[in-house]
Amino acid sequence: MKKLLNFLRSMRFGIVLLILIAALSVVGSVIPQERAAAWYAEAYPAWHTLLLALRLNRVFKSWYFLALLSLLCLNLTLCSLLRALAVFCGPQTLVEGCARMKTLVQLTPEGLTKLEQHLQSTGCRMTDCGGARVWHKRLYGRFGSFLTHLAILLTILVGAAALYLPQVVDLDCMPGESVVLPAKNGGTARFAVSDFRVTDASGRLDYTSALTVTLPDGRSKSGEISVNHPLSFGSYKVYQQSYGTAGSVTVTNLENDGSDVFLLAELSFLSLDNVNGLWYVALYPDYIVTASGERMPVSNAGGGYPRPIYHVQLAENGEQTLRFLVPGDTVEVGTLRFTFNEPVNYPGLRIKITPTAVNALLVVGFVLMLLGLTLLFFLPPVLVRVDGEGYAVGGAKSEGTRLELKTLLKDCEREAYA
């Protein structure tokens, strides 16, 4: 059991776990995750069966990835517990432990005087302990290793919570409109898209949405989102997930000249009396002209909507009439005039809602990491045992102090005096 515990808390085991987790994270980043099985069969025809069998289509939810994370947490927990015993034993125990060390470097009387003067000038305090003098400072630095391990453990746990706890919602939002989501603590969060573009001014694809996020408490933040560049505000993170193309129809009431523009992405019925009106069925990217002069839609355009055509049904006085119309065409049904416009692209938003406590703990883990690394590498404890023969340097991170004193007293060692 002791050998097993020593192995589980060893640095070698922790490094192996980190390498495996890093490798799987790369795989999960390179291979698109959680797509339909048919997508992987088309994208990876040679080895999609093995990919699905190994669950490489959902690496971060696989049993082996969760097992590796659990083992790493166990490794860090055991390391932290071991260091906690040394950390919380108190500074006096460190001083007593240093006082029991044997003299490692013998000095001349002049060297001993020079050593103690140097230690006093650098801010060290002296404590008599068991017939030896122990000079020490920055004993709080003993917390460095413990805080670093604790911060790594906290970061992994909170990182796992940030990976598995957030609620993910996919929504389409038309430019100039907004969508709302209910908040757990009451109220709603609003996401308004003022503009969406597929290409920038140079014609390069960039899929960018101009977005405003309004929290339930009324605070708002505006910005642009694009692929791999989300907008974070409060507990919400909004990604540019996809895009689509919607039909645009201007409806004018001939009785009062009132008009409105409708953006349509699904089967819809535009009517005043729910009887007479226009059914929007579909939008196709291109069409062909038959020998009789009729326009017929085709769906195999090479990309985009080079010649869009609308598929609609006119409902009037109980009769249904099939029509295929292009932008610029106008039809009238009763007192309504329908004018067909150029299609409009719209974004598909992925909204990730992370509990506020998770974000707060991530900040705490980052601060603890900085504090622990600062204590570990820049503010380690200094412990020097001095007696009538020479000195010995104690402490876990004592290489810097040993080198400093070696350089200072290289001409004062007992061998050189002899």
Side-chain angles (χ1 to χ4, degrees), residues 337-370:
R337 177 190 297 134
F338 300 91
T339 302
F340 294 84
N341 310 313
E342 291 291 337
V344 175
N345 293 319
Y346 63 91
L349 307 177
R350 168 159 290 185
I351 304 170
K352 182 179 289 187
I353 309 167
T354 304
T356 305
V358 173
N359 294 327
L361 288 175
L362 279 175
V363 175
V364 171
F366 179 71
V367 172
L368 280 178
M369 180 73 73
L370 288 179

Side-chain angles (χ1 to χ4, degrees), residues 208-238:
T208 299
S209 299
L211 181 73
T212 299
V213 180
T214 304
L215 300 182
D217 60 9
R219 291 181 296 146
S220 63
K221 179 179 180 180
S222 299
E224 288 189 342
I225 62 172
S226 57
V227 178
N228 297 326
H229 294 87
L231 175 68
S232 298
F233 189 42
S235 58
Y236 299 89
K237 181 175 284 190
V238 188

Side-chain angles (χ1 to χ4, degrees), residues 171-211:
L171 295 172
D172 295 331
C173 185
M174 299 296 173
E177 300 181 1
S178 61
V179 293
V180 297
L181 286 177
K184 289 185 177 180
N185 55 353
T188 57
R190 182 176 298 273
F191 307 86
V193 175
S194 58
D195 183 53
F196 172 71
R197 65 176 186 266
V198 175
T199 60
D200 58 16
S202 65
R204 181 178 60 88
L205 294 174
D206 67 348
Y207 305 103
T208 299
S209 299
L211 181 73

Side-chain angles (χ1 to χ4, degrees), residues 234-309:
S235 58
Y236 299 89
K237 181 175 284 190
V238 188
Y239 297 84
Q240 178 65 55
Q241 174 70 7
S242 61
Y243 83 99
T245 303
S248 174
V249 181
T250 300
V251 184
T252 304
N253 190 332
L254 299 177
E255 292 182 341
N256 56 21
D257 289 331
S259 64
D260 203 352
V261 178
F262 293 87
L263 300 180
L264 307 170
E266 58 185 13
L267 182 66
S268 305
F269 186 49
L270 303 177
S271 173
L272 285 177
D273 56 10
N274 292 327
V275 176
N276 300 304
L278 178 142
W279 282 98
Y280 170 85
V281 180
L283 175 68
Y284 296 94
D286 203 350
Y287 62 89
I288 59 174
V289 179
T290 65
S292 61
E294 293 182 323
R295 291 178 296 221
M296 296 298 296
V298 294
S299 58
N300 58 346
Y305 285 71
R307 295 194 306 169
I309 183 170

Side-chain angles (χ1 to χ4, degrees), residues 38-214:
W39 186 92
Y40 294 100
E42 181 179 355
Y44 307 98
W47 56 286
H48 72 278
T49 303
L50 179 62
L51 183 150
L52 295 174
L54 296 178
R55 298 181 65 85
L56 297 181
N57 61 323
R58 47 180 62 219
V59 169
F60 303 110
K61 294 182 179 180
S62 62
W63 66 267
Y64 50 83
F65 188 81
L66 294 175
L68 289 174
L69 283 179
S70 300
L71 287 174
L72 183 59
C73 290
L74 177 61
N75 174 263
L76 292 170
T77 300
L78 293 175
C79 289
S80 300
L81 290 175
L82 183 66
R83 283 161 176 78
L85 298 176
V87 165
F88 293 105
C89 65
Q92 189 61 34
T93 304
L94 290 179
V95 172
E96 293 173 353
C98 183
R100 291 192 293 267
M101 295 181 65
K102 295 182 180 180
T103 300
L104 299 178
V105 180
Q106 295 186 344
L107 297 177
T108 64
E110 294 80 3
L112 289 170
T113 301
K114 185 177 181 180
L115 170 62
E116 295 197 299
Q117 288 176 348
H118 170 74
L119 294 173
Q120 186 175 11
S121 68
T122 56
C124 291
R125 298 171 54 191
M126 190 269 290
T127 300
D128 287 320
C129 188
R133 299 182 298 278
V134 178
W135 292 84
H136 55 84
K137 68 175 180 179
R138 295 198 304 256
L139 296 183
Y140 55 81
R142 69 188 188 276
F143 290 96
S145 180
F146 172 74
L147 288 178
T148 301
H149 281 81
L150 183 62
I152 296 174
L153 177 60
L154 180 62
T155 301
I156 292 175
L157 291 175
V158 178
L163 183 63
Y164 299 112
L165 290 183
Q167 177 188 359
V168 178
V169 180
D170 291 335
L171 295 172
D172 295 331
C173 185
M174 299 296 173
E177 300 181 1
S178 61
V179 293
V180 297
L181 286 177
K184 289 185 177 180
N185 55 353
T188 57
R190 182 176 298 273
F191 307 86
V193 175
S194 58
D195 183 53
F196 172 71
R197 65 176 186 266
V198 175
T199 60
D200 58 16
S202 65
R204 181 178 60 88
L205 294 174
D206 67 348
Y207 305 103
T208 299
S209 299
L211 181 73
T212 299
V213 180
T214 304

